[in-house]
Amino acid sequence: MKSYIEPEFIVKRDYEKCVKCKVCINECTYGVHYYDDKNDIIRSRDENCVNCHRCVVFCPTKAITIEKNPTQYTENSHWTREVITSIKRQAETGGAILTGMGCDKPYYTYWDKILLNASQVTNPSIDPLREPIELRTYLGAKPDKLELELENGEVLLKTKLAPQLCAEVPILFAAVSYGAVNFNVHLALARAAAELGTFMNCGEGGLDKRLYRYGDHIIVQVASGRFGVNPEYLNVGAAIEIKIGQGAKPGIGGHLPGEKVTQEIAQIRMIPVGTDALSPAPHHDIYSIEDLRQLIYALKEATDYTKPVAVKIAAVHNSAAIASGIARAGADIIVLDGVRGATGAAPKVIRDNVGIPIELALASVDQRLRDEGIRNRVSIIVSGGIRSSADVVKAIALGADAVYIGTAALVAIGCTLCQKCYTGKCPWGITTTDPQISKRLDPDVAAKRLINLVRAWSIEIKEMLGAMGINAIESLRGNREQLRGVGLTDTELKILGIKMAGE
Amino acid sequence: MNREFSHEGRKTLDAPGPVMINNGVVTINAANMHYRDLNLLLKTHSNLAKRINIYNVYGQRYIGTGLRNNVEIHVYGTPGNDLAAFMDGPTIYVHGNAQDGVGNTMNSGKVVVYGCAGDVVGYAMRGGRIFIRDDAGYRVGIHMKEYGEQKPVIVIGGTAQDFLGEYMAGGILVVLGLTLSHGETHKAKFVGTGMHGGIIYIRGQVTHVGKEAKITELEENDVALLKPIIEEFCSYFNFNIDEVLAGEFKKIVPLSTRPYGKLYT
């Protein structure tokens, strides 16, 4: 069948600058560039280009630019190019459209409609350059009350505290599974987490034994496929996260395409080489909150009650009630992943249409748990499109204890959000398990970039806190008085629990 | 650094119940005992004891969960859900029926049940063996895995219900139909749905197989594989191996290693 799909991008090569060094040919994993030896010239197959910018960055003479295909269909705000292309592709293949990363639609971002407060005259701001500002965050269940006892003139804590994660910054690296990404990426995340005093989540594909030494900085995940889950794995991590849902694909299971299931991945996941790694939509031992409680306590039993157990859900319409159930089921941490949350592979229709913005879910969950008097029983981590330190500060003021960053972390190490993770050919060496392409990701350089990013955000967070006259991140948590909305309806303001700017 | 809070995770054993130790055999009376206390006793004693007998088990969950040694545990009564979950090594004999989640994500070891078991036996099982004398419930062997030498085995002496071996990626699942009357077929539907690895052997007639799996006849190497497994099963429950092997066996295997490869573009 002849394909009616036109190239999405056009590769432009400045032949005055091109020295025919062929770097672009070697760097491109999609076979876009090729050498025409008859005419001694490098040409492009535009239809293969995914706009990943690998050739653009690595071309020594900066001879390459990538443009959106200027040939547009007749202008139509309803039948966009994306819609027309999707229909044509489905008509040609009969398959559901797969994509990577998070929802890319222009709506749903509330962070940009929320503004922060600052101190002026009546309450002094704090200068972070000369005064300490505390970012340390403890994640885990907090007691309803503290019992103290006096012994020989010393005050002792009588209350037994639940296990906690201590993060030096309220920023953790979100779950990306071994298989979705390669070992080098996991290693970089683990090293960066250890250096920063925070945590990386290893995702649902197990943990390579070479990373066990970073276990104190790793949250191990248990998803419905139970890949790589054994007692050693559960005990090596600092905490365990039960993955129920993911913001990029609420309600559906995980899907690691067979192209990425190499020998190494097959071994750790214990599935045949080249087969799709399927995590079913539900955990088949969890059909209710009571069943969830059963798994939470099975994991606590298996780890002697020494580790916090987190439960991750996608932000959906009734997240608040679900979160209440999760808290009551005995989870120590609730993770909410919003509609912008990313993935290595998801049906596009699900990614772009299912779930709700994290800002609204967070505000409603925090409020519900407060109303029920159980907010202290769980910590809340939010994720799904956290792009900057400002998003972090706004999230914490809305009620989060900490955030997970996934996409931002991958962008720091090279990702350009071309959304083709599912092909397993990531030219930046990130979402590929091909041993040759994986070598492109230098774990030392990547760890350094991750550390730099989180350090930079930490400085900015301290600046924002100081400006508000707050010297500890704890004092910002749920402090919605520091937030004001612009361009929001009364209902939106009410759900976010914030006032309109000017109020 | 993340463990700055002092934490004593377990309930202290105010009334641990009578525990007797005699010549390496630990006997626990579990009547009125919370599962946390019972499991703490198991963890405490299982590294030294040769054998642990637990009497008066009334539905306590997680017996053997997360245990990582080679102790032999005999359970008298009815253990609760998630028996032997994440277990790594021990052998558990259940002298009675078991409930849901036997051997959930079990890594190695053995579970022998002298009775029936509930749903999701051996969910995502990674190694070791489970032998159920009588019937089992729904979703037995779902998501079983294997790699190299690590190959889990489940044998159900009687029959099992729907979604047997769903999403199976490895291992061996055997259903013998010994509780069925003459001519009665297995009722399980959607057997092997989404299966992409492993083998299911069924003695007797199965009528409804998932569209990702197919029923075939046994070959010589299947018999060689199956015989020692059934021998072991018969040795626990005093069945006559020849009579069991005389039945008609079918094999269910995946149609492809990528059942959902064509679903997406």
Side-chain angles (χ1 to χ4, degrees), chain B residues 100-169:
Chain B
D100 297 342
V102 174
N104 188 345
T105 324
M106 177 172 151
N107 205 47
S108 70
K110 197 180 292 179
V111 180
V112 180
V113 178
Y114 292 84
C116 294
D119 296 341
V120 276
V121 174
Y123 175 8
M125 195 177 165
R126 304 160 49 86
R129 295 185 168 204
I130 297 176
F131 297 95
I132 311 288
R133 188 190 65 193
D134 303 332
D135 301 332
Y138 293 79
R139 308 188 298 282
V140 171
I142 181 170
H143 244 295
M144 266 171 99
K145 306 176 186 328
E146 73 172 67
Y147 191 85
E149 296 295 297
Q150 214 174 341
K151 190 180 264 197
V153 173
I154 299 176
V155 184
I156 309 293
T159 188
Q161 299 302 319
D162 301 352
F163 299 105
L164 178 71
E166 191 188 21
Y167 287 126
M168 202 168 158

Side-chain angles (χ1 to χ4, degrees), chain B residues 171-230:
Chain B
I172 299 166
L173 183 48
V174 184
V175 182
L176 295 174
L178 298 170
T179 56
L180 298 176
S181 51
H182 185 72
E184 192 182 354
T185 60
H186 292 279
K187 306 265 184 319
K189 292 178 185 156
F190 302 99
V191 177
T193 297
M195 191 177 178
H196 50 123
I199 310 174
I200 305 174
Y201 293 107
I202 296 194
R203 183 177 173 274
Q205 294 298 311
V206 58
T207 53
H208 194 290
V209 171
K211 61 183 187 300
E212 296 81 12
K214 64 176 176 192
I215 306 184
T216 67
E217 300 298 324
L218 265 62
E219 289 160 35
E220 221 163 274
N221 55 348
D222 290 310
V223 179
L225 189 65
L226 202 48
K227 202 176 165 196
I229 293 172
I230 294 179

Side-chain angles (χ1 to χ4, degrees), chain A residues 161 164 225 263 275 294 301, chain B residues 2 7 43 62 145 147 257:
Chain A
L161 297 174
Q164 305 283 319
Q263 190 76 34
T275 181
Q294 181 173 306
E301 279 290 330
Chain B
N2 56 307
H7 171 67
K43 280 185 187 171
Y62 313 122
K145 306 176 186 328
Y147 191 85
T257 57

Side-chain angles (χ1 to χ4, degrees), chain A residues 115-151:
Chain A
L115 293 168
L116 295 167
N117 194 27
S119 303
Q120 298 293 295
V121 184
T122 53
N123 54 338
S125 48
I126 298 169
D127 181 356
L129 296 179
R130 60 182 175 82
E131 291 190 53
I133 290 187
E134 178 70 60
L135 297 187
R136 181 180 287 182
T137 301
Y138 288 97
L139 301 168
K142 308 294 187 293
D144 293 339
K145 58 179 183 190
L146 288 180
E147 277 185 74
L148 306 170
E149 72 187 352
L150 204 61
E151 203 179 286

Side-chain angles (χ1 to χ4, degrees), chain A residues 89 93 95-98 138 161 163-164 166 168 216 224-226 228-232 238 255 258-259 263 266-267 269-272 274-276 278 280 284-285 287 294 297-299 301 304-305 307, chain B residues 1-10 35-36 39 43 61-62 65-66 68 81-82 86 88 104-105 107 120 123-124 126 139 142-143 145-147 150 166-167 169 196 257-258 260-261 263-265:
Chain A
R89 193 179 331 158
T93 62
I97 293 176
L98 208 58
Y138 288 97
L161 297 174
Q164 305 283 319
C166 173
E168 295 301 330
D216 284 349
S224 62
R226 304 284 156 87
V229 178
N230 60 38
E232 200 180 7
H255 184 117
E259 285 82 4
Q263 190 76 34
Q267 180 166 6
R269 294 197 180 217
M270 295 185 73
I271 55 173
T275 181
D276 294 351
L278 304 165
H284 281 290
D285 53 355
Y287 290 175
Q294 181 173 306
Y297 279 89
L299 293 168
E301 279 290 330
D304 294 335
Y305 298 83
K307 296 166 198 301
Chain B
M1 187 170 50
N2 56 307
R3 302 203 175 91
E4 285 191 0
F5 280 105
S6 70
H7 171 67
E8 195 185 290
R10 302 185 155 279
Y35 69 74
R36 239 188 241 197
N39 288 334
K43 280 185 187 171
R61 289 180 174 181
Y62 313 122
T65 289
R68 305 176 68 185
N81 294 353
D82 275 351
F86 309 111
D88 204 4
N104 188 345
T105 324
N107 205 47
V120 276
Y123 175 8
R126 304 160 49 86
R139 308 188 298 282
I142 181 170
H143 244 295
K145 306 176 186 328
E146 73 172 67
Y147 191 85
Q150 214 174 341
E166 191 188 21
Y167 287 126
H196 50 123
T257 57
R258 260 193 104 172
Y260 301 113
L263 214 53
Y264 299 105
T265 175

Side-chain angles (χ1 to χ4, degrees), chain A residues 178-225:
Chain A
Y178 185 38
V181 297
N182 57 63
F183 176 74
N184 286 346
V185 178
H186 256 199
L187 176 59
L189 288 165
R191 273 193 197 159
E195 177 111 351
L196 290 161
T198 184
F199 301 88
M200 68 90 93
N201 186 313
C202 74
E204 65 162 311
L207 184 67
D208 192 289
K209 282 200 162 60
R210 288 170 285 178
L211 295 178
Y212 280 10
R213 54 192 286 237
Y214 299 101
D216 284 349
H217 295 279
I218 295 176
I219 298 169
V220 295
Q221 202 180 51
V222 174
S224 62

